[in-house]
Amino acid sequence: MELLFLGTSAGRPVQGRNVTAAALLLPQERGVWLFDCGEGTQHQLMRAGVKLTKLQQIFITHMHGDHTFGLPGLLSTRSSLGTEEPLRLYGPSGLRDWVQRTLALTDTRLGYALEITEVRPGAIYEDERLRVVTDTLEHRVACYGYRIEEKPQRGRLKAELLQGLGVPFGPLYGQLKEGQDVQLPDGLLIRSDDVTEPARSGRIVTILGDTRPCANAVRLAQGADLVVHEATFDAALEDKALAYGHSTTVQAAHTASEAGARRLLLTHFSARFTEADMAQLAEEARALFPATETASDFAVVAVRHANRADA
């Protein structure tokens, strides 16, 4: 599981930074999930080598243009590539009307089913491996954050132990992996718990939209392995951040710290900040939450299990 940043600038694109978008790169069968879709997002995906035909779900945090203006073009291009796989689109109230009117007025016809869900707080998606929960944030318009929860996974089989016990490779391995005890032809009972490594807790990624500091942001980020939080302003501009419904570097760090998160990625930087300012912005947050980094366009961040460095 990896998170690819496609746009990390607030409000408008600047040299080297596009407006907001990030892609969660999942195992093959789950493809790509996109979070926000600022203008030019499909160009960023092409530059990153991510195929639109792999895109399965899009989550929009709020309706401001720097988070949505790339959506109509991306939907159209995905259709022109010939894919017929359905696409799920989630976001705030008004998203369905805006998308449908834009497509109708531009005579854009999609060759796949577009399933649009206008979200409310709570669980909005679940399959056998992943669950997505959303809640409201505090911005100038209705805005949501998303918490992606990977369900706990059974531990790996202890292959050397199984070989030593004389368990033949094949269906019995699958039964043991699924938690079933098996009996060998000689009567030896092999208990799944005895030949399986401890279960792994699932990973948690929290992607927050634009927001002032708020209790819901902390709840969405609780215990997360990775939190993506806007830091539109530096610590000296706290009053401006409050007035515009945004957060500072230090406020983002406070949210991650209060939530007990493992790692914080700052994004959505005001155009007033240059690349030379990024080190200072990171240091402001690290004073409170040391595991902080600033995101950059095309950065790929691996989401690791708390107890493993290679997953």
Side-chain angles (χ1 to χ4, degrees):
M1 183 188 292
E2 296 177 325
L3 188 65
L4 165 66
F5 286 91
L6 298 163
T8 55
S9 180
R12 60 181 175 85
V14 296
Q15 187 69 32
R17 291 183 185 270
N18 199 45
V19 282
T20 301
L24 189 62
L25 309 178
L26 296 164
Q28 186 70 22
E29 69 276 9
R30 286 176 178 80
V32 176
W33 293 5
L34 183 65
F35 292 82
D36 283 330
C37 190
E39 180 184 0
T41 293
Q42 66 170 311
H43 295 270
Q44 299 290 83
L45 285 165
M46 285 191 292
R47 293 186 184 107
V50 177
K51 296 179 179 179
L52 281 181
T53 53
K54 301 294 185 183
L55 182 61
Q56 295 187 359
Q57 304 202 108
I58 302 175
F59 301 84
I60 300 297
T61 61
H62 63 293
M63 293 300 296
H64 278 158
D66 59 323
H67 296 252
T68 60
F69 282 168
L71 193 53
L74 182 148
L75 295 177
S76 177
T77 298
R78 185 178 186 270
S79 183
S80 72
L81 294 173
T83 182
E84 297 181 356
E85 290 296 315
L87 179 67
R88 298 186 184 95
L89 174 60
Y90 303 85
S93 177
L95 179 63
R96 178 183 291 107
D97 185 50
W98 179 70
V99 169
Q100 290 179 343
R101 285 175 178 266
T102 301
L103 296 179
L105 288 169
T106 56
D107 194 28
T108 301
R109 302 176 186 181
L110 304 181
Y112 56 85
L114 179 63
E115 304 169 11
I116 304 176
T117 299
E118 294 186 342
V119 302
R120 295 181 180 180
I124 59 171
Y125 174 81
E126 186 167 6
D127 61 27
E128 70 280 1
R129 187 74 178 271
L130 298 168
R131 179 172 181 258
V132 181
V133 176
T134 188
D135 210 343
T136 55
L137 300 174
E138 295 185 10
H139 192 42
R140 290 174 291 153
V141 298
C143 187
Y144 289 85
Y146 296 99
R147 176 184 175 93
I148 303 94
E149 301 173 345
E150 183 182 42
K151 297 179 181 179
Q153 302 172 48
R154 289 190 58 82
R156 295 175 177 175
L157 292 176
K158 300 176 181 178
E160 291 185 4
L161 178 57
L162 288 171
Q163 292 170 11
L165 292 170
V167 180
F169 184 79
L172 294 183
Y173 272 60
Q175 293 174 37
L176 290 166
K177 179 68 174 177
E178 293 300 317
Q180 302 174 34
D181 299 337
V182 302
Q183 191 168 27
L184 300 185
D186 63 4
L188 179 64
L189 179 66
I190 309 295
R191 299 188 183 278
S192 175
D193 289 344
D194 294 338
V195 296
T196 306
E197 294 178 356
R200 294 185 297 172
S201 58
R203 292 164 286 187
I204 299 172
V205 179
T206 298
I207 299 177
L208 300 171
D210 295 1
T211 187
R212 302 182 184 93
C214 65
N216 283 352
V218 175
R219 281 194 286 270
L220 287 169
Q222 198 71 40
D225 297 284
L226 177 65
V227 175
V228 178
H229 198 304
E230 68 128 297
T232 308
F233 298 107
D234 62 11
L237 295 173
E238 183 174 335
D239 289 344
K240 185 177 288 290
L242 178 64
Y244 285 93
H246 288 296
S247 294
T248 68
T249 52
V250 173
Q251 289 170 332
H254 186 270
T255 293
S257 177
E258 190 175 352
R262 293 182 58 232
R263 192 176 181 189
L264 173 64
L265 267 292
L266 302 179
T267 188
H268 200 268
F269 303 110
S270 166
R272 73 184 63 218
F273 300 116
T274 66
E275 292 306 304
D277 298 317
M278 291 298 121
Q280 175 195 339
L281 297 179
E283 285 306 312
E284 287 184 350
R286 285 177 187 150
L288 179 60
F289 190 80
T292 300
E293 302 166 60
T294 55
S296 58
D297 287 24
F298 303 112
V300 178
V301 178
V303 185
R304 304 190 187 282
H305 287 276
N307 57 348
R308 285 186 58 193
D310 61 343

